[in-house]
Every structure is written in structure tokens, then in C-alpha cells.
Amino acid sequence: MDNLISLMHGFGVAATGFHLTLMVVGVLLGILVGVLPGLGAPNGVSLLLPLTFSMDPVSAIILLTSMYWGALFGGSTTSILFNIPGEPSSVATTFDGYPMAKQGRATEALSLAFLSAGFGALAGVVLITILSTWVAKFALRFSSPEYFAVYFLAFASFVGLGGTSPFKTIVSMMLGFAFATVGMDTISGSLRLTFGFNELLSGISFLVAVIGLFGIGELILTMEEGLRFDGIHAKVSPRDVLATIQRMPRYWMTLLRSSLIGCWMGITPGGPTAASFMSYGLAKRFARNKEGFGKGRPEGVIAPETADHAAGTSAILPMLALGVPGSATAAVMMGGLMIWGLNPGPMLFIEKPDFVWGLVASMYLGNVVAVVLVLATVPFFAAILRIPFAIIGPVIVVVCFIGAYTVSSSMFDLWLALGFGVVGYVFKKLDYPVAPLVLAMVLGDKAEDAFRQSMIMSRGSLAIFWSNPLVACMTALAVALLLWPLIGMAQDRLRASRAVAPVG
Amino acid sequence: MKRITALALAFAASVASAPIAQAAWQPSKPVEFVVTSGPGGGTDTFARVVQSIIAKHKLVEQPIVVTNKGGGSGAEGFVYGKGAAGDPHKVIFGTNNEYLLPLVAKLAFKPDDLTPVAAMAMDEFLIWVNGNAEFKDAKTYLAAAKSKPEGFKMGGSQSKDTDETLTKLIEGATGTKFIYIPFKGGGEAAVQLAGAHIDSNVNNPNENIGQWKAGLVKPLCVFSPQRLPAGPKVAGDMSWGDIPTCKEQGVGIDQFQMPRTVWLAPKAPDDAVSFYADVLAKVKDTPEWKEYIERTSQTNRFLSGAELKTFIASDEEKNRKVFEKEGWVVK
Amino acid sequence: MSSTDETVQPRALLSRRAAETVAALFTGAIGATVVIGSREYGTGWDSSGPQPGAFPFYVGLIIVAASLVNLVRGALAGAGPVFVDRLQARQAASFFLPIVAFVVLTVTLGIYVGAALYLFGVMVFQGGYRWWTALAVSLGVALFFFVVLERWFQVPLLKGPLEAALGIY
């Protein structure tokens, strides 16, 4: 109850005209930043940071978080319309969002994405409101073995999903792991697999790979098939949006499950990107009818979007209470906290209740503002699609390469994006799945670090992954999820042989 | 859209030009601040504070853009700086990693490739233990560690970097042996200590203050010749000034600090070096800078010119000894 | 030879089998590179767990092994369906080659000039637009990005001799 009273107080702080204006400005800037791949939320937030030095900390954080919400929404927009994830966490949204757009259901896909994202974000804020104290304590129980188990769990819930050849899946996944090891190794402090090239010092950027594999690769494929975005001429009417809203309750199960996954990954260090993949993977597993995933199933948009935003929102809590940023954007905001003279930590909630609860309240308001604004931009984006492909296609190419360059201002990344484009095109044609590669790149080095830290702690004993109930539960769950498809296969075989048996 | 424009204009105006005193050399195009850490890191905060002060007091006529090149523990930024030889519009921000990184990793730049401009602050190091630990001072903690070699876990940021170097120095000075666990950053090491997953860390004040306030971690001693300035109470009745120095506690290390440094690309004209040194000297005298130093509990120390070169040489020498002893130096 | 051949069933430029082989050799080569590169840092397991090279080493080995399986399976599967026919190849190349040109232009002339030239070229030669329309669009897009990125967000992009000559950067 104390928290609710504090929250009411927080609304008093946040719901002023000035702050609402900041939210609108922040969200709009965020959408703009999110739409340009590579620029992204972390960059956007760090660029706004100097502007906030002279501001009151509450106003400053409201501006920055609103920009973050906007960027998350903007990232989903390009995922759905152009197959280019503007933010790493919206990669999974492309799986079904882009096919929907291609079938002329862009409005539906966008509305679904925004509404479920809003739902996920609200779930995240509610969690912060009610359980902030408990969550902060819970997160302290996480050390390297638990981190590794979280990553393992995310991975186990996504792999083994369909695909034609298991060996192609393995190649794709392992390539992702290999790319993730390039660059400086945290544990040993040595440079790995750079072969003396300065360009590889900072590793192979995940965003550059995604821009190439998804954006460029898909464009080449589209051109080859001569499709030219035919389906997306459908008009946008507010009625479509309303119809989608009416249909939302039908997906309550997906919404609920994805929110839980998102909150879980937000307070543990899994992060929004892993959350969206995990949520997509589980949505597919739990679906009674697995057909249609990857070809434009509404659940395929709802699941990753809900989890992404639930994780992004709830990750603010460990940032405030522990000083551990759950995402790259949170890291920048934390830098901001220190510049404004606030020290993240458990005492922040007691010393600066105005700040913390003002922020929490602004998260409720900011997300509502963001959903409304972003829905209002749908016709604008739909209009972009009406531009002839001979113009918009090359413009998307330019946007892709600008994005690839802004990741780390490196010329080499332009060539890399081009190379990944070709790989994306060939892989798609030869049925190599690309998603495992992307997930492995996201989780690869984190998982490896956590594993090796655990091994240093345990002096090389694997028993550390069963050393306490928390880590043992997660490890067991991960193993079970990993084996699930195998069990399913075995059952099918068994059933098939039984069916044959009476005849023989 | 109107609001975006308005904000953008405000944005542009905040870094736009204003007449300043005549100097021999002036930047003739936008200046790029190259940060050798990711967004949110200590070096990032340092560079952005300097940027905001310069903007606020209009110390540089041209706009300033900040780019993060933190790959390879910052090597990316230094290599980039080296590639901009002769261009005095690239200012590189780092720590002592500029001259220490090339010792432990095969990199495409040498410490004396870049031109040193200034060192602006010294970040302090302390020994911290969990808030509930039985140890009241550094003496008892280190004695316990000594009686149980490889029985205590020391966490730190990165590998073969300042934190591990200091750990090795402590081991050498006290005859202890820790298990050193490298994490991605100091913040992570702080939380691991608060959760009692490790026994101690050697974090900077800024990295642990949040946990200290809550009593989840406590400082044992600080690696500086004198105690830190007192200031307000931080946790309970303790302020920074109440923490004993490690020397007082019988640890034979006088001083271990990390300078926050500023560099120019190779072959930068002397005029440009003195221009930036002047600007940074003005930055150092602003109230905003003093506030930043106080908030992050760093030591305010400004070095430039010959003084800076002597400092770098001695700091490198001190670290090199440890690196050589540990076999970290690459050939 | 006959033109009907091409309309009824477009001639294959590359069979599926050939494409599978090339892809498997390519991934195998990456795997081998990773294996060789990782040997420098030790691939064993010591008291502090796996050495720095261990993880990439085994990842590389798995890539090589799985690529070999893909190579054999691809070869055994027979020629298979067409991977790309001539028409598709022409369409894909007409899109891809200008992109390569764009990257080359960007690297030499900067991203804004590169983008403007690329957009102009593609619109005139492939889109069949009048040159002034193309000019307006390409300059407009380049200018838009310049204002948004350089001025608003202060993100410096790759610039070339033109910007230097104009004294912009």
C-alpha cells in the first residue's frame, strides 16, 4: 500500500503540463531515432544527455525515458514495414510482422505491435510499482552461474524450432557464436580472432549483421521475385485500428505469458532482445497449431512485442535499485543519473522518492502517450509505402547503410553490411535459418563470460550450475526445454511405429 | 514536428558559436570528442561533462560532437585517433589505458603515437567488502585472506586492467593470493559484492557509493597518500574522510590512482595542444567541474605540458613492473 | 537456343546443388578460420575453466563438421530445382550491383554524395524517371539526412572531398 501512496504522489510530480510536453517531445524524437536503424535509443539518449544537465533530474529522466519508449516503438515500425529492425530487440517482430505487411495487413500488424507493446510496458510498470522492494532484493541473488542459466534458458526456449535441416540450423547458430567472440575478451583481456585487423577490434556488430541479413538480404530477394511491395497498398482507416483493438482480448494467453517472460528477463539480466526471442519461441511451442508462424500469425507479432516492452520497462528497476543497467540505453541513463548528482542504489528510493516515483508515474503516462502518438503515425508510415518502389527501395538501402555506419562510425561496417546482405539472401534461398545466428550473436559473448566467470568461481567445477535452488531450477528448466522437441520427435516415431505394428 | 524542430534548434544553439578571446590556433571545423568507452562508462561521463561545460561557457567557437569508440577496452578510439594524424579536430578522452593497453595486447598503436594534452582528475581506488562481512578494517581482512590463499574472491572491471593490476599489487605487498574475477564493469562488480557473491572489490568511489549508502558494502581503506576530503556523511556516521588510507592499515602501497586523460592525434601542432590545454584549464575552474569532481569523489588534479609527460612516464613504469612480473606484457 | 525455352521454363543459371556446395564451402572456410585463429590463445581447460580460445575453437570445429554434412547432403540430393534462373539473376543483379557502386562511392566521396549519386542513377536508369525529378529526390533525401543527423542529432557521418571543399567539415 505504501507503494501505491508513493505512486499517487508520483503522479502529482509527473502529471504537469511541462512534463507532459516533455513526454510528447521525447516520444516523437524517440520514434525518429528508432526508425533510423543504427542510430537507436542508446545513441539518441546520449545525444540528449547534455541538454538535460541544466534540467531538474525528474524532468530530465522523463525526457530520456520517453525518448526510449518512442525508440522502442519506432524500431518495431521499420521491422514490420521494411523487415529492418530499428532496434536489436525488434528483430523477432520481423518474423511475422513483415509477412503480414507483405500480405497487405500492415495496419493490423502495426496496431497489434503497438497495442501489445503498450500492454507489456504497463505490465512492467505495475510490477515495479507493486514489487519494487522485493525485486531489488531478488536481483541481488544473481551471480554469474545464474546469469548463465538465464541465457541458457532463453536459448533453449528458442532453438529447435522447425527448420528444414538440423545441420543448417547448427551452422547458422555456431556462426553467430563465432562472430560474437571476435574482439576483446573480458575474461582474459586478450583480442580474439581479429587477425591483426583494426576494424575487428570492436568485434562484429550485431546491428550491422542484422541490417545486412534482414534489410539488404530481404530487399535483394524481393527484387529477384519482382514483388516490389505489391501488397502494402491497403488503405489505413481508424476502423482497422479499432477492429484490432477489439480482437486483442482473444490473445490474452499470449499477452499474459509474454508479459511474464518480459518482466522476468527485465529484472534478471537477460534484457529485452533475449526476452523477445524467448517469448516468440514459447508462443510457437505452446501454439496448438504451429502452422503459419513465420508467415504472418498475429501471435508472432504480439509475443515478441509484449515481452520486449515488458523487459525494457522492468529493466529500469535494477538500474535504479542496483545500478546495473539492463540494456545499453539504461547504461546511458545511469550515466545521466550520476551527472545529475543521483547515485543509483537501494537508497535512491528512500532519499529521492520524488524522483523515483515521479519516474514510475511518468512511465504509466509516457507509455500511454507513446501508444497514442505512435498509432497516429501509422497513416504517415503507410503513406511512405505508397511511394513507388523505384524510389523507396533505394532510399531504404541508403537508410540501411547510414544505420550500419552510425553503429561505430566505421567504413568497414559498410562492407560488412553488404557481405551480410549477400549471406542473408543466399541463406534464405537455401533454407538456412537466420534467427539462430542472430540470437547467438546477442547472447554468445554474455553467456561465454558468465560461464567462464562461474568456472573461475568454482575452480573449474560444473557443479556450480546446481549449487543452489535458484540456479538449479533454471538449469533444469532449460535442459527440459532443450530436450522437449526431441521428446516430441520420439513420441511421433513411437506413434508411427505403433500404427505400423498391427499390420506387420 | 514543430516541437522537434524547436528542440533541435535549442540543441544547436546550446553548442553554437560565440566570440571568444583570440588565440594562435582555433578549430576551423566541428571538433570531435572521441570517447574510449561505451556510452555510460566513466570516460563517457567525463567527456560529456567537459563537453557540457565548454558549451555552457562557450569556450570553443565550433560545435563539439561526441562519438563513442569503446571497442577493445578503448583501443578502437586510440587507433582511430592515430589514423587522424595531423588533424587537430579530434580530441581523444581516456584514462591510463592509452599507455597501458598496448603493453598487454597487440595493438596497432604505440603509447607515444598520440599527443598528450592534459590529465584532469584522478580517480581513487578503495578496498571494499560486503556490508555484513565480519571484517572491520583492512588489516583483519588481509590477514584472513593471507591465511587462506585463493580462498577469497576479488572482483573487478575487466582483465589486465587497473583493477587486476591493483589486486596483484596488493598480493605482492601483503603476501595474499586472491581469486580475481573479471566483470564487464565496476557497476557489476559492485552488485556482485552487495549480493555477497564475491568477498571484496577495488572499485572507484563512484562505482560503489550507491551500495555503500544502503549499507550493502563498506570501505576498508583508500589507496591515496592522505585521507579523502571529509565532505558530508555518506553512510551512517561515516564520510569519505573517515576511511583510513591503506598505508595506515599497513599495506605498502602509497598511492594508486587512475588519471582521466585527454589526447590529440599524432603530429598535432603545438599551438593546437596549448589551445586545448587552455580550454581544459578553464573548464577545470568552473563550478560545474568542481561539482562533478565532488560528486564522483575523484581528486582534482590538473596536469599538462612537461608535468604531464613526467607523470605518464612514472605511471607507466609503475604498472609495467606489475605487468612484467605477471607475464602480461606482449611482445 | 530457342527463345520459347526461356519463357516456358527459364534457364537455370545456377543449380541448387551448386549453390549448396558453394554455401557449405563458404561456411566451412569460416569455421576453419575460426579454428586456426583460436589456437593462438590456448584451447584447453585449466583450473580457471576454459581458456580464451576454447570456446571459439570448438564452435569452429562444429561449423566445419556441420558444413561437411551439408556439403555431402547437398551433393547427394541431386541437381535439384533451380537456384536462380537468368531472369531472377538479372533482376537481383540490377538491384545489387548499384548497391555495390553506392558503397564504393560512399567510401570515396562520403555518404551524402554517394547516396545522392546512387539515388539519382537508380531512378533515372532503372526507374525511368525524368532527370529533374530524380535530381530533386536524390538531393532532397541527402539533404534531409544531413540536417537530421549532422545538425539535429550531431552524428557525424562519413564525409568526402565535397564537404571539405564546402568547408562543412
Side-chain angles (χ1 to χ4, degrees), chain C residues 42-63:
Chain C
T43 57
W45 185 292
D46 59 23
S47 64
S48 60
Q51 289 174 320
F55 183 67
F57 179 73
Y58 290 105
V59 162
L61 278 188
I62 297 174
I63 297 177

Side-chain angles (χ1 to χ4, degrees), chain B residues 298-318:
Chain B
Q298 302 187 69
T299 298
N300 204 357
R301 192 163 165 217
F302 187 85
L303 296 171
S304 63
E307 223 183 347
L308 175 65
K309 290 196 176 101
T310 326
F311 172 83
I312 291 172
S314 79
D315 195 39
E316 194 205 323
E317 186 53 36
K318 209 159 61 180

Side-chain angles (χ1 to χ4, degrees), chain C residues 75-124:
Chain C
L76 289 181
V82 175
F83 179 70
V84 267
D85 60 45
R86 275 167 198 274
L87 179 69
Q88 286 178 328
R90 203 178 306 141
Q91 279 174 336
S94 72
F95 184 72
F96 181 70
L97 292 178
I99 298 182
V100 177
F102 165 51
V103 175
V104 172
L105 284 173
T106 297
V107 168
T108 47
L109 297 175
I111 219 160
Y112 298 110
V113 179
L117 288 175
Y118 165 69
L119 286 175
F120 181 77
V122 170
M123 281 180 69
V124 169

Side-chain angles (χ1 to χ4, degrees), chain A residues 21 24-25 28-29 46-47 50-51 53 140-144 147 184 186-189 191 198 201-202 322 324 331-332 338-339 341 343-344 346-347 351 408-409 449 453 456-457 459, chain B residues 3-4 7 11 39-40 45 48 51-52 69 71-73 75-76 79 106-108 150 153 158-160 179-184 191-192 194-195 197 206 209-211 213-214 216 295:
Chain A
T21 315
V24 173
V25 173
L28 286 176
L29 280 173
S46 54
L47 291 165
L51 196 71
F53 291 158
L140 268 187
R141 291 171 56 185
F142 277 70
S143 184
S144 307
Y147 283 21
M184 184 63 84
T186 310
I187 308 296
S188 70
L191 288 165
N198 291 332
L201 270 180
S202 52
L322 297 174
V324 182
V332 181
M338 288 177 194
I339 293 177
N343 296 106
M347 296 306 281
E351 285 177 345
S408 64
S409 312
D449 282 353
Q453 280 158 359
I456 297 175
M457 288 178 182
R459 316 304 283 152
Chain B
R3 284 207 181 87
I4 300 180
L7 190 65
F11 212 162
T45 312
R48 286 180 199 276
Q51 180 209 15
S52 72
K69 289 184 180 294
S73 294
E76 189 193 357
V79 171
K106 252 185 265 171
L107 295 171
E150 301 210 326
K153 297 187 199 103
Q158 304 286 334
S159 184
K160 297 176 189 164
I179 302 177
Y180 179 79
I181 303 170
F183 293 97
K184 271 253 186 298
V191 174
Q192 290 300 308
H197 302 291
N206 193 32
I209 183 170
Q211 310 293 342
K213 275 185 182 170
L216 291 172
R295 245 185 343 241

Side-chain angles (χ1 to χ4, degrees), chain A residues 15-330:
Chain A
T16 64
F18 176 59
H19 285 156
L20 285 172
T21 315
L22 279 183
M23 282 178 212
V24 173
V25 173
V27 166
L28 286 176
L29 280 173
I31 294 174
L32 185 62
V33 164
V35 163
L36 297 169
L39 199 52
N43 272 316
V45 170
S46 54
L47 291 165
L48 273 189
L49 208 51
L51 196 71
T52 64
F53 291 158
S54 51
M55 285 168 109
D56 172 48
V58 185
S59 314
I61 194 87
I62 288 178
L63 178 64
L64 295 191
T65 46
S66 301
M67 178 158 189
Y68 182 43
W69 314 138
L72 286 179
F73 282 110
S76 319
T77 309
T78 47
S79 286
I80 290 171
L81 294 183
F82 309 116
N83 205 40
I84 308 165
E87 294 284 319
S89 55
S90 34
V91 170
T93 308
T94 61
F95 300 161
D96 282 275
Y98 182 63
M100 281 181 88
K102 262 177 136 179
Q103 294 157 16
R105 293 152 69 199
T107 320
E108 188 192 345
L110 287 172
S111 315
L112 276 178
F114 298 148
L115 291 169
S116 42
F119 183 87
L122 282 183
V125 202
V126 169
L127 177 91
I128 295 185
T129 312
I130 302 173
L131 293 176
S132 55
T133 341
W134 177 81
V135 163
K137 272 195 204 121
F138 178 69
L140 268 187
R141 291 171 56 185
F142 277 70
S143 184
S144 307
E146 287 82 6
Y147 283 21
F148 177 74
V150 168
Y151 301 137
F152 186 31
L153 190 61
F155 218 89
S157 56
F158 189 76
V159 295
L161 283 174
T164 42
S165 157
F167 293 98
K168 287 182 173 170
T169 310
I170 290 172
V171 165
S172 167
M173 189 198 309
M174 291 298 149
L175 282 177
F177 280 128
F179 293 149
T181 57
V182 176
M184 184 63 84
D185 170 34
T186 310
I187 308 296
S188 70
S190 46
L191 288 165
R192 295 189 299 184
L193 301 177
T194 56
F195 301 100
F197 290 108
N198 291 332
E199 290 81 4
L200 289 175
L201 270 180
S202 52
I204 295 176
S205 160
F206 160 77
L207 267 169
V208 173
V210 163
I211 288 169
L213 289 172
F214 287 82
I216 310 280
E218 186 64 37
L219 280 171
I220 301 175
L221 209 64
T222 309
M223 274 312 285
E224 183 207 88
E225 291 164 358
L227 278 183
R228 308 184 176 225
F229 286 121
D230 272 345
I232 321 188
H233 291 290
K235 270 202 181 143
V236 180
S237 71
R239 205 173 298 155
D240 283 356
V241 179
L242 288 176
T244 313
I245 295 175
Q246 277 176 350
R247 256 179 293 134
M248 282 303 277
R250 218 186 286 169
Y251 305 110
W252 65 276
M253 191 55 210
T254 313
L255 282 168
L256 205 62
R257 184 189 332 105
S258 307
S259 303
L260 285 176
I261 295 170
C263 291
W264 165 256
M265 296 301 268
I267 52 178
T268 65
T273 311
S276 59
F277 274 95
M278 186 170 171
S279 172
Y280 184 88
L282 289 181
K284 193 167 169 185
R285 283 208 183 166
F286 281 109
R288 233 172 271 140
N289 175 12
K290 287 177 183 54
E291 280 303 302
F293 271 99
K295 297 185 193 110
R297 271 274 284 263
E299 290 94 329
V301 175
I302 295 171
E305 279 298 312
T306 313
D308 172 9
H309 286 245
T313 314
S314 49
I316 300 282
L317 184 62
M319 173 189 106
L320 294 175
L322 297 174
V324 182
S327 65
T329 316

